[in-house]
Amino acid sequence: MSTDFDHIVIGAGISGLGAAHFSARRGLGTLVLEASDRVGGCINSQTLDGLGGFWTEGGGHTCFNSYGNMLSILDDLGLTSQVQPKLKVGYSLWKDGKRRKITSALHFLEAARSIPRIFKAPKAGRSVRDYYGEVLGRRNYQDLLRHAFQAVICQPADDYPAEALFRRKPRRKDVIKAFTFAEGISAIPNAIAAQKGLEVRTSQSVSEILADGDGFRVRLKDGSELTSRALTLAVPPDAATQLMPAGFEAARAAIADIGVAEIETLVIAVRKTDLDLPPTAGMIAVEDAFYSAVSRDFLPDAQYRGFAFHYKPGTLDPDAQLQRACTVLGIRPEQIAAQARIHNRLPALRSGHAERVAQLDTALAGKRLGVTGNWFIGVSMEDALTRSRSEDERLFGN
Ligand SMILES: Cc1cc2nc3c(=O)[nH]c(=O)nc-3n(C[C@H](O)[C@H](O)[C@H](O)COP(=O)(O)OP(=O)(O)OC[C@H]3O[C@@H](n4cnc5c(N)ncnc54)[C@H](O)[C@@H]3O)c2cc1C
């Protein structure tokens, strides 16, 4: 059957762009379809209006030299030499309406007693609360770690699978440990999408996929159709469930109950002269309406400082969110130089997740349908790209 493309990828977050990059580099005719009007998904270096190009990360903010798949893409695109080191600034806690040191919540004796367990405590199949409560102590988990993890995944952390958070990966010694780019992490999705040999169409929401003979028919919301020999779904789990074509019922059933956490992100910029706050990586909130406030202080600007407040959904209305951000930063609302609102979504993984993925993989074996995302190995950009790489190899060979 002759098709419009060898490979269609749905979703232009880092998972989809990675999948497209790998197949385009094989010489396959690759198209990416993205529902929103920009690429990057959760990577969103938000340029704020009227501030001469000043940006703040509304989503993913840090890449590490342990991100091997990411770095291989940056090598392919000639971007590795452009990475910018991140200034070393620490996080603090926001608790009971005050900024506090991280160490103020640490129970040193308990940690010292518990840490040796890190070498023998099993991680597989356990929740974050069980595993980290054992290796750092219950009180340390309750008072500190729980909030720190919630700040990372922007959702309640207790029941999240421990193995989906943090894994040791080999580091590339020739690259700085934690990095960004002069224009923010969005430089990565933008460069992948702009390369020759890869076509990306934004504002193209896919409504249905039909398995058609050896290939696929992709139906867009505007009613048009495209065909491909192979197809990769790189969308959040609820969207992947909805788009799973007829004939893939076992695959759909395997992922149907994977949840998604909604995050209401408020990005604000403040003139440096208006802010009496030492340079900070951000704040980890303890029992507040937001999980974290991530700053842009890691790459200082001459005039402005930026912050992304990641709020629990439906807890505060937009005005109250703004007010809370002002309280945390110690400013008045009229001192906000610019603001933007972003809706972020992250997978809400639960116990038994590895079994769900195994069932999905069994159902996909031998098919030309790939499924990738930040909901397989873990939520980091590298976890997403690791899945995209293995799906590329499954679909198109080593
Ligand atoms: C606040 C925050 C901070 C983070 N910090 C870091 C960090 O510092 N380091 C790190 O490694 N990771 C970080 N992460 C995680 C990481 O950024 C994300 O997990 C990753 O970027 C997700 O990529 P993805 O492609 O899997 O999904 P997404 O980015 O969600 O992309 C999915 C895409 O699919 C599109 N889509 C959905 N439905 C359709 C449809 N029907 N048709 C067409 N397109 C569709 C969506 O519009 C979206 O663009 C952070 C995430 C957040 C939210």
Side-chain angles (χ1 to χ4, degrees), residues 11 13-15 34-35 41-42 59-62 67 206 310 373-374 379-381:
I14 195 65
S15 303
E34 165 58 46
C42 288
H61 46 86
T62 310
Y67 284 15
V206 173
H310 301 294
N374 56 355
V379 82
S380 78
M381 301 172 213

Side-chain angles (χ1 to χ4, degrees), residues 4-227:
D4 299 323
F5 292 90
D6 297 321
H7 183 205
I8 291 181
V9 178
I10 302 175
I14 195 65
S15 303
L17 289 170
H21 177 90
F22 298 139
S23 75
R25 292 271 151 168
R26 292 171 178 274
L28 297 173
T30 303
L31 170 72
V32 183
L33 295 169
E34 165 58 46
S36 90
D37 60 0
R38 58 166 195 92
V39 300
C42 288
I43 300 173
N44 189 351
S45 313
Q46 184 74 39
T47 302
L48 291 149
D49 286 344
L51 303 187
F54 178 74
W55 55 266
T56 293
E57 297 293 6
H61 46 86
T62 310
C63 293
F64 297 94
N65 63 0
S66 56
Y67 284 15
N69 287 296
M70 174 74 89
L71 286 166
S72 81
I73 294 176
L74 298 184
D75 288 345
D76 288 346
L77 297 172
L79 280 181
T80 312
S81 59
Q82 292 175 33
V83 304
Q84 300 281 321
K86 292 184 70 186
L87 200 74
K88 279 194 184 130
V89 273
Y91 280 91
S92 47
L93 290 180
W94 177 257
K95 190 177 172 201
D96 301 331
K98 281 200 179 117
R99 232 168 356 100
R100 293 159 200 271
K101 287 188 172 161
I102 295 280
T103 44
S104 68
L106 191 64
H107 305 284
F108 288 97
L109 257 178
E110 188 189 47
R113 261 187 260 115
S114 313
I115 275 175
R117 291 184 207 138
I118 210 161
F119 300 107
K120 49 181 189 322
K123 202 175 191 187
R126 297 180 74 190
S127 70
V128 161
R129 177 180 38 210
D130 284 355
Y131 175 73
Y132 288 99
E134 181 176 348
V135 300
L136 277 165
R138 299 279 154 208
R139 288 203 305 151
N140 277 319
Y141 178 76
Q142 201 57 34
D143 295 346
L144 178 59
L145 284 176
R146 175 170 192 259
H147 309 290
F149 292 148
Q150 291 184 170
V152 171
I153 54 176
C154 296
Q155 58 187 286
D158 287 354
D159 299 326
Y160 209 80
E163 54 203 322
L165 272 185
F166 311 124
R167 242 181 332 280
R168 269 187 169 279
K169 299 184 267 291
R171 294 190 177 279
R172 261 212 15 208
K173 297 275 163 47
D174 59 322
V175 179
I176 199 98
K177 188 173 172 196
F179 64 85
T180 180
F181 286 85
E183 60 274 52
I185 301 285
S186 283
I188 302 171
N190 291 345
I192 300 175
Q195 69 183 298
K196 276 197 187 136
L198 175 59
E199 188 178 340
V200 180
R201 298 183 191 166
T202 52
S203 303
Q204 302 284 312
S205 185
V206 173
S207 58
E208 194 179 2
I209 297 164
L210 300 130
D212 185 12
D214 272 353
F216 296 92
R217 266 193 298 146
V218 176
R219 199 164 281 164
L220 294 153
K221 280 240 165 82
D222 65 9
S224 60
E225 279 190 6
L226 292 160
T227 56

